[in-house]
Amino acid sequence: MTLFDLAKKNVTGNFRSYLLYFLSMIFSVVIYYTFVSFQYSPEVQMGIESSNSLLNIFIGASVILILFVAVFIFYSNSFFTKKRKKEVGLYSLLGMRKKTIGKMLFYENLIMSAAAIVIGIIFGTFLSKLFTMLLLRLLDSAVEVGFGISPEAIINTFIVFLIITLCTSFNAYRLIYRFKLIELFQAEKEGEQAPKASLVPALLAILLIGFSYWLGFQSSSSDLELLLILGLYLVSIVLGTYLLFRFLTIYLLRFAQKRKSSYYRGINIIGISQLLYRINGNARSLTIIALLSAVTISAISVGYSFYYTNEVQAEKDSPFSYAYISSDKEIDSQLDKVITSDSLHPVIGQTEIPVLNVVGEVSNPLLQDYLEEGPVKLVSESTYNKALEILNLDGSVNLSGTEAVGIQPLLTEYSSADYEGHTVTLKTPGSEEKIRFTTMAEDRIIPWSYPDFSVIISDELFKDLAKQLTPIPIASYEVEDEKTTKETFDELNKLTEEGTQLSSYYETYRRGLETAGLNLFVLGFLSLVFLAATGSVIYFKQLTEAHEDKGRYEILHKIGVSKKETSATIRMQTLFVFGLPLIIGMVHGAVILKMCSNIFSALIGTNLTVPIAISVSGYIIIYLFYYLLTINSVKKIVMK
Amino acid sequence: MKTIVEAKQLKKVYGNSGTVFTALDGIDLTIREGEFVGIMGPSGAGKSTLLNVLATIDEVSSGEVTIDGENLLKMNEEDLSAFRRNKLGFIFQDYNLLDTLTVKENILLPLALAKVTTAALERRVIEVADKFGISNLLEKYPYQISGGQKQRTAASRSIIAKPSLILADEPTGALDSKSATDLLETLKELSEEDKATILLVTHDAFAASYCQRVIFIKDGRLFTELVKGNYSRKEFFQKILDVLAAIGGGVNDAL
């Protein structure tokens, strides 16, 4: 029997005990490959070439992912090796040569890794397909991203994992040389040193994180400078976070230990000491979880912000589902028939909005600059109020005489203060009329066109002016589920001529979605990948630890710790492992978000509180699901 | 004197219809307060099963067990945990110390679980550690101390909450003779001076010779019982060896 055969037999024979290690390797490959194959898809490649911000996202994301993969595999590998020290000691005791054992372990690791890479790539292909389909469905195929099997992605994955595999295999080879025989036999008994609190690295952690945040807000003038900042940012945030978990948490736990009255009460003593005992091993994974969370949170938030902003902007741009200038009775009735016969999108309300285009001059220079030579679009108070009612919006106005309310032009940040007290001199062919703004309204009711300067005037005045000028009637319809009115819109489009100026919410929404599409897709994809990575690292880590802790819980059971107390301490320890990185990740994420909102021009000037709050809560809910799943699995392992 | 353990007609059957193995076959056992009782017997005689039943971590198939007036069979999982914590102390062959805790924390664990005040708990730890001569090791971790010291730590933990019954499962099994003698002497002292009730399961005739009474079991049944009475420890040791020779199998196991 050759050595290779023996190694092969080892793997196949003990497959059960190898499973956890093997699975975690496969998982890393799946996640990394999914990311890379996405990165190499032609659409994304094109996007990267044309956009620096996208390139930065990909650089940052791949650095964090490689870090994740390396730490994850090394962690599983060291756990796995620890489990096998006794077996290795036995081979040595039975007289096998050190070199032979080393080679055997080397081959063994190599075989498993090779298998994991192949399986991982296969699953990764499926996963990227799945993610793509999921996202395309969400975006209603506003983007086109094809997914084939990309040779570059396979090569990239192969190289990265080859390096990692060689490292772990070499590590396995050296196992027999690193330890004395006696140490191999005592592997499971050996205690880890209880960590000491030290001030310098703890302070350094705070300093590094502060520095990275400061870097995050620096602007750069050239590409090189940008890359430099990005590199420094990544190094300092990764290192700072690691030191934070490695040293600052010791202070936290030591502090908890010093408070004897609570430490010596019930099961606190078990939970706290166990966490402290684990800090060395935990620090790495907590760092990874925090960084992954940060990236996930910011990716989800930015992605969703695009989506959300688009929706809000579209709603402002085209307040009604359909609007067209009614001119010809026959066409009008045809259009009306098409809209009302669409049973999937029943009409909520319809109205005709007569608009008077009048040349005017505003007394506020700021507004006059915006208006230039364009016409002032006048609507009457009652029309405005009726439109708001159909659109289900509050904020109706009540005017008399020459009072007027300005409507905030789209894509501006004018406020009531810019309007209040100012006047507009309306120049009709026969006369001049001066109206005075009482305030500004935010809700628009007619489709956008430049310059977007609409003013609401009193009914009497509108009636007066309408005698001199002919109002343009805009037929407006609001229907249910207006995002999906493609068919009806196409049909309407066929019926209308140039002059009708058909506008629809669907078209505006769609256009926005297509513009933001790639960004949206990239960010959505990244969040899915990182979400999967975060979940797997936490889950596998807690599972391996649970196997290690089994003996301790057995002792506790014997000396009278009840199941309830055991559950409580598991919950508490798991909460620490989940909660701390989540908090750090959220703070990191907030800074990254701030940076992103400066990078993406589409997000400048919009209020992102709502989409960010929704994204973060969504993330926390998924995270909570992982938390419950983990507790459940740990309990199963520990309490049998 | 008060009866601590009262077991009647204990039966324990493993397996189902096909292959049945009877571990305990109608054992009766009575232990009074302050007694130091040894249980001996060849491998497979049912010693461990008996101990596990008394330790409430295994259930009998039939029979009755009462410890300190409480019927074990009528308790649910939650009650049993509380019972173990409040009424029983354990010393195991492989120590069963938590490597994440210092010696001091290991010792005070039962009191912490019982939510005793910090001041009372600290006082008690010093008292107990003093008794076992490990006061200078309190801040060390289990991996930093010797086997004998570990076992004394475990013994300290077993008595700290002043349990009604201390169960010792081959406590000297992994110790050198000096450490073993020290531990046995201390256990004897505990029973004589502090009226601690101790049940010692062992293969080792030397360890058993420290007991006041030794019960021999074979094939799940009571074989015989020896009482030390006025014999010297050496004479008692010899008598134990004689019984073991009669049972067969036991002497070889005792090394």
Side-chain angles (χ1 to χ4, degrees):
Chain A
M1 191 198 273
T2 65
L3 199 56
F4 194 75
D5 286 333
L6 187 61
K8 215 161 64 186
K9 264 200 174 347
N10 260 334
V11 178
T12 46
N14 294 329
F15 202 74
R16 228 165 219 282
S17 59
Y18 287 64
L19 202 63
L20 210 59
Y21 177 50
F22 193 56
L23 276 181
S24 52
M25 277 201 291
I26 293 180
F27 241 92
S28 339
V29 180
V30 168
I31 286 166
Y32 186 76
Y33 177 76
T34 306
F35 171 78
V36 183
S37 69
F38 176 59
Q39 190 184 355
Y40 281 108
S41 73
E43 289 80 0
V44 175
Q45 281 293 310
M46 241 157 64
I48 288 177
E49 269 165 33
S50 64
S51 150
N52 253 328
S53 48
L54 212 57
L55 179 70
N56 288 334
I57 291 175
F58 270 93
I59 292 177
S62 50
V63 167
I64 301 223
L65 262 188
I66 289 179
L67 203 74
F68 151 75
V69 164
V71 169
F72 192 40
I73 290 190
F74 272 97
Y75 179 83
S76 323
N77 180 263
S78 67
F79 177 79
F80 178 66
T81 321
K82 202 169 163 188
K83 284 256 150 208
R84 301 200 52 213
K85 276 186 181 167
K86 218 174 211 165
E87 185 193 329
V88 169
L90 197 66
Y91 290 140
S92 187
L93 198 67
L94 293 175
M96 204 187 259
R97 285 170 56 213
K98 278 192 173 183
K99 204 171 176 181
T100 318
I101 297 174
K103 271 193 197 161
M104 187 191 77
L105 292 175
F106 182 85
Y107 283 138
E108 195 186 285
N109 198 55
L110 213 59
I111 296 171
M112 289 213 294
S113 306
I117 293 175
V118 173
I119 297 175
I121 288 179
I122 294 170
F123 274 103
T125 311
F126 283 121
L127 196 69
S128 36
K129 259 250 145 24
L130 182 79
F131 280 1
T132 311
M133 266 151 52
L134 215 79
L135 279 171
L136 286 185
R137 206 184 172 104
L138 207 72
L139 296 180
D140 204 10
S141 55
V143 229
E144 276 184 31
V145 175
F147 250 115
I149 293 170
S150 99
E152 292 108 315
I154 294 179
I155 292 168
N156 183 323
T157 309
F158 195 75
I159 291 172
V160 167
F161 281 90
L162 188 71
I163 294 169
I164 293 175
T165 302
L166 285 179
C167 289
T168 52
S169 299
F170 186 64
N171 213 27
Y173 176 79
R174 274 188 32 239
L175 176 72
I176 186 78
Y177 293 98
R178 271 185 301 160
F179 296 99
K180 290 188 189 129
L181 196 48
I182 181 77
E183 287 170 339
L184 291 176
F185 277 103
Q186 286 171 345
E188 306 229 342
K189 285 184 204 154
E190 96 194 7
E192 279 174 41
Q193 207 79 24
K196 286 201 176 65
S198 46
L199 193 64
V200 178
L203 287 177
L204 195 64
I206 296 173
L207 226 68
L208 276 170
I209 290 179
F211 177 63
S212 73
Y213 285 1
W214 176 78
L215 276 176
F217 289 105
Q218 297 308 301
S219 54
S220 58
S221 48
S222 68
D223 282 1
L224 195 70
E225 212 181 304
L226 187 71
L227 271 180
L228 191 75
I229 288 180
L230 187 72
L232 268 175
Y233 173 79
L234 279 171
V235 169
S236 55
I237 200 160
V238 168
L239 208 64
T241 310
Y242 175 72
L243 291 176
L244 182 83
F245 285 120
R246 179 71 177 71
F247 294 98
L248 219 56
T249 43
I250 297 178
Y251 272 102
L252 222 79
L253 292 169
R254 285 276 181 217
F255 176 74
Q257 263 189 334
K258 287 226 175 70
R259 291 174 57 233
K260 299 275 187 234
S261 56
S262 71
Y263 180 58
Y264 287 161
R265 199 158 183 82
I267 44 166
N268 289 344
I269 184 170
I270 297 162
I272 293 170
S273 64
Q274 206 144 188
L275 283 170
L276 194 61
Y277 177 80
R278 280 267 166 67
I279 276 299
N280 290 351
N282 266 337
R284 268 171 286 163
S285 23
L286 292 183
T287 308
I288 289 297
I289 299 168
L291 294 176
L292 289 174
S293 295
V295 178
T296 317
I297 288 176
S298 35
I300 294 180
S301 298
V302 175
Y304 185 62
S305 295
F306 274 128
Y307 200 77
Y308 178 85
T309 321
N310 180 43
E311 214 174 300
V312 172
Q313 290 294 359
E315 192 65 61
K316 279 189 177 166
D317 186 305
S318 311
F320 280 93
S321 308
Y322 314 102
Y324 57 89
I325 297 169
S326 71
S327 47
D328 185 304
K329 280 248 159 12
E330 196 173 320
I331 293 177
D332 284 2
S333 71
Q334 274 177 8
L335 292 175
D336 183 78
K337 211 174 142 203
V338 171
I339 293 170
T340 46
S341 61
D342 180 357
S343 58
L344 287 174
H345 306 98
V347 176
I348 297 169
Q350 74 179 92
T351 183
E352 194 178 83
I353 304 174
V355 180
L356 280 170
N357 284 340
V358 185
V359 179
E361 204 167 294
V362 197
S363 63
N364 183 350
L366 183 77
L367 298 178
Q368 182 57 46
D369 270 0
Y370 175 80
L371 181 63
E372 286 179 336
E373 303 292 307
V376 178
K377 297 166 191 165
L378 298 173
V379 294
S380 75
E381 170 199 346
S382 55
T383 315
Y384 185 75
N385 288 345
K386 177 152 191 234
L388 285 193
E389 198 185 311
I390 292 169
L391 295 173
N392 198 17
L393 295 168
D394 303 327
S396 59
V397 293
N398 191 4
L399 302 169
S400 63
T402 56
E403 282 176 339
V405 171
I407 299 177
Q408 187 185 35
L410 199 65
L411 304 170
T412 68
E413 285 176 337
Y414 300 145
S415 65
S416 304
D418 298 317
Y419 282 87
E420 243 164 79
H422 286 285
T423 57
V424 188
T425 315
L426 301 170
K427 293 166 187 162
T428 53
S431 64
E432 268 191 18
E433 195 78 49
K434 204 171 208 175
I435 52 172
R436 186 173 294 276
F437 289 122
T438 54
T439 184
M440 183 195 82
E442 282 184 5
D443 299 314
R444 306 180 67 264
I445 60 164
I446 54 173
W448 181 82
S449 64
Y450 186 82
D452 184 35
F453 200 84
S454 309
V455 176
I456 312 161
I457 55 174
S458 66
D459 286 355
E460 314 104 76
L461 184 59
F462 191 88
K463 218 178 275 169
D464 273 358
L465 291 170
K467 280 174 197 155
Q468 306 171 43
L469 298 154
T470 335
I472 301 163
I474 301 178
S476 305
Y477 293 81
E478 181 72 358
V479 300
E480 265 172 40
D481 202 9
E482 56 186 350
K483 268 183 223 166
T484 56
T485 53
K486 183 177 180 357
E487 284 83 11
T488 315
F489 172 73
D490 288 344
E491 213 171 315
L492 290 174
N493 228 356
K494 271 184 236 151
L495 290 172
T496 53
E497 293 151 32
E498 285 292 305
T500 324
Q501 286 176 18
L502 175 71
S503 112
S504 83
Y505 172 84
Y506 168 78
E507 194 200 8
T508 315
Y509 170 77
R510 193 75 193 161
R511 223 186 310 120
L513 211 58
E514 273 162 25
T515 323
L518 190 65
N519 278 337
L520 246 170
F521 190 81
V522 167
L523 291 163
F525 199 90
L526 281 185
S527 4
L528 285 176
V529 168
F530 277 80
L531 203 59
T534 316
S536 56
V537 73
I538 298 187
Y539 189 66
F540 278 110
K541 186 181 146 41
Q542 294 300 305
L543 238 57
T544 47
E545 276 183 5
H547 279 293
E548 259 190 339
D549 286 343
K550 220 171 153 177
R552 289 195 195 104
Y553 286 109
E554 262 162 34
I555 295 173
L556 289 172
H557 175 69
K558 279 186 202 158
I559 65 170
V561 175
S562 69
K563 281 199 169 139
K564 225 156 89 195
E565 286 167 321
T566 308
S567 299
T569 189
I570 289 173
R571 274 201 303 275
M572 175 266 198
Q573 291 178 53
T574 318
L575 184 68
F576 183 88
V577 172
F578 271 77
L580 216 54
L582 178 66
I583 294 170
I584 302 294
M586 270 163 53
V587 178
H588 284 1
V591 176
I592 298 176
L593 266 178
K594 189 78 201 129
M595 285 157 59
C596 285
S597 65
N598 291 336
I599 291 175
F600 295 110
S601 49
L603 299 181
I604 296 172
T606 32
N607 184 0
L608 299 180
T609 321
V610 176
I612 288 175
I614 292 175
S615 315
V616 172
S617 346
Y619 181 73
I620 291 177
I621 289 170
I622 295 171
Y623 202 75
L624 202 69
F625 168 76
Y626 279 139
Y627 173 69
L628 296 176
L629 183 76
T630 305
I631 287 183
N632 211 352
S633 313
V634 171
K635 272 195 207 160
K636 254 188 210 145
I637 291 169
V638 164
M639 309 208 271
K640 276 174 286 178
Chain B
M1 213 174 280
K2 200 168 135 193
T3 303
I4 296 292
V5 179
E6 179 86 76
K8 277 184 197 144
Q9 284 302 307
L10 294 187
K11 272 197 187 184
K12 176 74 188 178
V13 182
Y14 289 109
N16 40 31
S17 54
T19 49
V20 176
F21 173 71
T22 311
L24 295 179
D25 194 7
I27 295 250
D28 291 321
L29 181 69
T30 307
I31 300 175
R32 285 176 217 293
E33 190 177 15
E35 268 196 306
F36 186 5
V37 179
I39 294 190
M40 295 198 78
S43 296
K47 301 187 299 286
S48 297
T49 309
L50 179 61
L51 188 85
N52 285 342
V53 166
L54 294 178
T56 76
I57 44 187
D58 202 352
E59 285 171 8
V60 284
S61 306
S62 70
E64 292 242 330
V65 197
T66 313
I67 296 179
D68 202 14
E70 293 193 56
N71 191 338
L72 297 191
L73 304 179
K74 288 189 179 150
M75 283 191 250
N76 61 24
E77 179 63 39
E78 207 66 16
D79 294 339
L80 285 176
S81 293
F83 180 79
R84 282 201 290 280
R85 193 160 69 208
N86 300 326
K87 298 287 172 82
L88 301 180
F90 295 95
I91 312 174
F92 304 93
Q93 177 172 4
D94 48 2
Y95 325 119
N96 276 351
L97 296 176
L98 291 172
D99 47 6
T100 53
L101 300 179
T102 60
V103 167
K104 179 181 174 183
E105 288 163 352
N106 262 298
I107 296 175
L108 61 77
L109 192 56
L111 294 187
L113 292 173
K115 299 192 173 141
V116 172
T117 62
T118 312
L121 173 151
E122 300 251 19
R123 218 179 312 122
R124 183 81 182 130
V125 169
I126 291 167
E127 205 178 296
V128 174
D130 212 38
K131 190 166 277 176
F132 283 93
I134 48 172
S135 310
N136 55 338
L137 302 175
L138 288 179
E139 296 309 321
K140 292 219 186 306
Y141 281 88
Y143 66 91
Q144 297 171 312
I145 61 178
S146 73
Q149 290 166 334
K150 277 185 204 167
Q151 198 55 296
R152 273 180 277 154
T153 305
S156 305
R157 180 179 69 189
S158 77
I159 66 159
I160 193 161
K162 299 189 175 161
S164 314
L165 177 66
I166 297 166
L167 298 166
D169 187 8
E170 300 278 9
T172 56
L175 301 185
D176 60 273
S177 62
K178 168 77 171 67
S179 303
T181 313
D182 284 351
L183 182 73
L184 291 165
E185 287 287 354
T186 320
L187 290 179
K188 195 171 149 213
E189 253 176 59
L190 278 174
S191 100
E192 282 166 3
E193 289 164 20
D194 300 347
K195 293 278 163 270
T197 314
I198 304 169
L199 183 73
L200 172 79
V201 170
T202 185
H203 267 114
D204 180 7
F206 174 75
S209 69
Y210 279 84
C211 299
Q212 293 160 3
R213 184 152 71 98
V214 180
I215 295 165
F216 294 85
I217 57 176
K218 188 187 181 183
D219 301 330
R221 291 165 199 269
L222 218 60
F223 183 76
T224 184
E225 183 178 320
L226 279 182
V227 179
K228 187 178 174 208
N230 292 326
Y231 295 117
S232 75
R233 201 187 57 74
K234 268 198 173 157
E235 289 166 331
F236 193 46
F237 176 60
Q238 200 51 54
K239 279 179 149 305
I240 294 170
L241 285 182
D242 292 343
V243 175
L244 288 178
I247 288 185
V251 183
N252 293 337
D253 279 7
L255 294 173

